[in-house]
Amino acid sequence: MRALVEGVEVDGRHWIGGRRVDSPRKFAAISPIDEQPIAEIASGDVGEIDLAVNAAATAFQSWKKISREARAGYLHRIADIIESRVEQLSVVETRDNGSLLRSHRRGVMPRVAMNFRFFADWLLQLDHADFDVRGHRNHVSYDPSGVAAIITPWNAPLMLGTWRIAPALAAGCTVVYKPPEWAPLTASLLADITAEAGLPDGVFNVVQGLGREAGAALSRHPKIRRLSFTGSVPTAKTIAAAAAPNLVPLSFELGGKSPFIVFADCDLDLAVNTAIGQYDNAGQVCLAGTRILVEESIRDRFLEAFLAKAKAIKQGDPRDETSDIGPQISRPHFERVKGFVERAVGAGLKPALGGGPNETLGGLYFKPTLFVDPPETSEILREEVFGPVLCLQSFTTEAQAIEMANDTEYGLAAVVMTGDPARAERVTAAVNAGLVWNNCFFVRDLRQAFGGNGKSGIGREGGTWSFDFYCDVKNSVFAPTGWRK
């Protein structure tokens, strides 16, 4: 079951207990670039999940005992190999999920290596100072919790996967990873990399398959001690229900309908260029500021400049260095995005930009789309589309901007564009979001706490927050007296 993808050999079988494991059932990996099958993938279910979790549970008994320095060493070796294979990983993931090749080469895959390096280094400095309570010494320690289940989405599969896998391994957990069925290939390459780095058998396992089968079996497995999921709210509810009988601690990073607030005192060119960036990855970015809120006095100037920039976006084959955005991930997702837009048009809204498939390119390419002044209750304004579809509204006062920004069930991110530092502080404090960017977008550091409010998620990861999640944090109290000499 080996396939040659863009000249790179990829194994379509699972990786369990340090060996390749097949399944009788298969599914095809379909490239969104041309909707052609590129690999045959083993489709796991209860049996493969049970095999992987048991392998991870067995490996945990020795993995949890090795020194921090040894665990960090493994992670650095994994990072070394990733850095030597950035090109291979980039071309495979672009073919598999349709994201820009230039982005994979320059940012995404180097970040994958950084995920491992950062958490390896953070592990070595992880500490909590002892403290005194009435003469009693209190000591905080981070004990590995056990087997971690990690389920991630298709829009940046390897980066988002390793953002959880790396801290879990650093914390001393073993991992069972269920990659997205719409983009599974680089997870298989990561398994090869961990083996080459000498990671002990069973410490890292990959089971491919459909969410309703492999994902469901993993979520409800009684030996899972932590579960991290990135994806949609409906899927999160299903996972939470499956994990509930076992009281498994969960970390969910879910969807968003984030506000992008533009005040009249902003740098208009910066605001427009940053707003255009919300079409990144064909709109398949949970953090995107899809609700653009513009102060009324500059609305027309902003809209004119935005439309001029947006019309210059080049949509095309993501392997072409000159392309700015590529296709939607799959036919079902393309139809979902198309359905949102068609219902909005059917309700009387007229797109100011785009509004349908790219007829020239065909396939899964959907035009960058903008709706202006949709009604407050409209679906297109309130629900996450997860495609290249933005909405623009206007406001007259700062208070109204904040009220509009917070008028959502989500709370993942926000962008504030203003030339007034005091206003930036006020609005940032008032907006309900796990992450707020001021006069910038997508500036991310692994030391940051990351997660969403409301329907955008549960918990935080990043820096010490990741270790708080993947470890059992223990407090030990030592009395000042009663010790034998």
Side-chain angles (χ1 to χ4, degrees):
M1 285 185 64
R2 294 180 180 274
L4 203 62
V5 180
E6 300 290 297
V8 180
E9 190 175 81
V10 183
D11 198 313
R13 296 172 293 174
H14 314 292
W15 178 253
I16 300 173
R19 64 186 180 92
R20 289 291 176 178
V21 175
D22 204 354
S23 291
R25 293 188 302 164
K26 310 288 191 294
F27 66 92
I30 306 294
S31 174
I33 296 173
D34 52 15
E35 296 187 88
Q36 293 301 304
I38 54 177
E40 187 179 60
I41 307 298
S43 187
D45 203 338
V46 175
E48 293 86 350
I49 288 294
D50 194 55
L51 188 65
V53 174
N54 284 329
T58 298
F60 176 69
Q61 299 309 314
S62 55
W63 180 247
K64 69 179 180 179
K65 296 175 183 177
I66 72 170
S67 68
R68 289 185 174 191
E69 289 75 17
R71 288 205 301 270
Y74 282 113
L75 268 62
H76 275 295
R77 286 195 289 278
I78 292 170
D80 289 341
I81 300 170
I82 290 169
E83 286 177 344
S84 72
R85 298 186 185 174
V86 162
E87 182 64 18
Q88 292 181 352
L89 293 167
S90 297
V91 298
V92 169
E93 189 147 295
T94 290
R95 186 71 168 130
D96 199 22
N97 88 330
S99 296
L100 295 182
L101 179 57
R102 71 175 191 234
S103 296
H104 282 138
R105 284 172 170 158
R106 300 171 193 173
V108 176
M109 295 308 164
R111 165 64 186 272
V112 170
M114 186 190 302
N115 285 341
F116 285 98
R117 291 211 193 282
F118 171 86
F119 286 107
D121 293 339
W122 199 265
L123 169 66
L124 297 181
Q125 67 179 31
L126 184 67
D127 191 26
H128 189 294
D130 289 356
F131 60 96
D132 180 84
V133 176
R134 298 186 299 277
H136 294 65
R137 179 171 65 90
N138 285 251
H139 175 72
V140 175
S141 57
Y142 293 83
D143 297 344
S145 61
V147 181
I150 295 174
I151 304 173
T152 54
W154 40 261
N155 56 328
L158 193 58
M159 190 272 285
L160 291 175
T162 56
W163 150 244
R164 275 77 180 189
I165 292 163
L169 295 177
C173 295
T174 51
V175 170
V176 178
Y177 178 41
K178 209 295 281 185
E181 56 262 40
W182 284 349
L185 299 186
T186 47
S188 182
L189 295 179
L190 179 62
D192 294 336
I193 289 170
T194 62
E196 185 175 332
L199 199 67
D201 294 348
V203 171
F204 177 65
N205 307 271
V206 178
V207 179
Q208 297 138 163
L210 306 182
R212 63 180 179 273
E213 296 168 355
L218 182 58
S219 301
R220 66 173 177 260
H221 199 287
K223 291 185 180 179
I224 295 299
R225 293 293 175 265
R226 295 291 186 275
L227 197 159
S228 178
F229 168 73
T230 304
S232 71
V233 172
T235 303
K237 291 179 179 180
T238 301
I239 289 173
N246 300 316
L247 295 178
V248 178
L250 303 171
S251 177
F252 284 169
E253 191 259 289
L254 308 176
K257 196 70 177 178
S258 300
F260 187 104
I261 310 171
V262 183
F263 288 98
D265 59 10
C266 74
D267 178 326
L268 188 62
D269 288 340
L270 176 63
V272 169
N273 288 330
T274 308
I276 291 294
Q278 310 310 298
Y279 286 125
D280 184 48
N281 203 21
Q284 298 167 138
V285 177
C286 57
L287 294 162
T290 54
R291 293 184 296 132
I292 302 175
L293 312 178
V294 185
E295 192 164 352
E296 179 65 36
S297 62
I298 63 165
R299 174 191 180 278
D300 291 346
R301 283 195 296 139
F302 178 92
L303 181 58
E304 180 182 7
F306 178 90
L307 291 174
K309 287 272 187 182
K311 288 173 184 176
I313 293 173
K314 181 181 178 183
Q315 189 169 33
D317 189 319
R319 296 169 294 187
D320 184 341
E321 282 280 323
T322 66
S323 292
D324 297 313
I325 64 171
Q328 304 306 121
I329 182 67
S330 68
R331 177 57 58 178
H333 187 66
F334 176 88
E335 293 298 331
R336 180 180 182 275
V337 172
K338 183 166 169 277
F340 269 107
V341 172
E342 287 177 343
R343 288 191 296 276
V345 172
L349 293 177
K350 183 178 179 181
L353 177 75
N358 188 318
E359 299 88 354
T360 302
L361 296 173
L364 302 180
Y365 294 85
F366 199 92
K367 293 178 183 177
T369 296
L370 177 70
F371 287 100
V372 176
D373 296 329
E376 293 291 340
T377 58
S378 60
E379 178 193 54
I380 201 74
L381 184 66
R382 307 202 71 82
E383 299 297 326
E384 183 180 43
V385 179
F386 216 62
V389 181
L390 307 179
C391 295
L392 187 146
Q393 299 170 280
S394 58
F395 63 88
T396 55
T397 67
E398 183 179 305
Q400 185 186 17
I402 292 167
E403 182 181 4
M404 293 171 70
N406 289 339
D407 186 19
T408 175
E409 294 181 315
Y410 297 99
L412 186 56
V415 180
V416 179
M417 307 299 296
T418 178
D420 183 347
R423 167 176 276 160
E425 295 283 353
R426 288 194 306 271
V427 176
T428 294
V431 169
N432 178 32
L435 174 60
V436 182
W437 283 289
N438 285 275
N439 291 336
C440 59
F441 181 62
F442 244 9
V443 178
R444 291 277 305 279
D445 190 291
L446 288 169
R447 293 171 294 182
Q448 289 175 279
F450 182 75
N453 304 334
K455 286 191 175 180
S456 288
I458 298 172
R460 296 292 185 269
E461 293 189 47
T464 301
W465 290 276
S466 288
F467 289 95
D468 288 342
F469 175 67
Y470 291 106
C471 291
D472 290 323
V473 182
K474 178 190 294 180
N475 189 68
S476 304
V477 183
F478 298 88
T481 59
W483 307 101
R484 289 183 293 179
K485 299 296 184 183

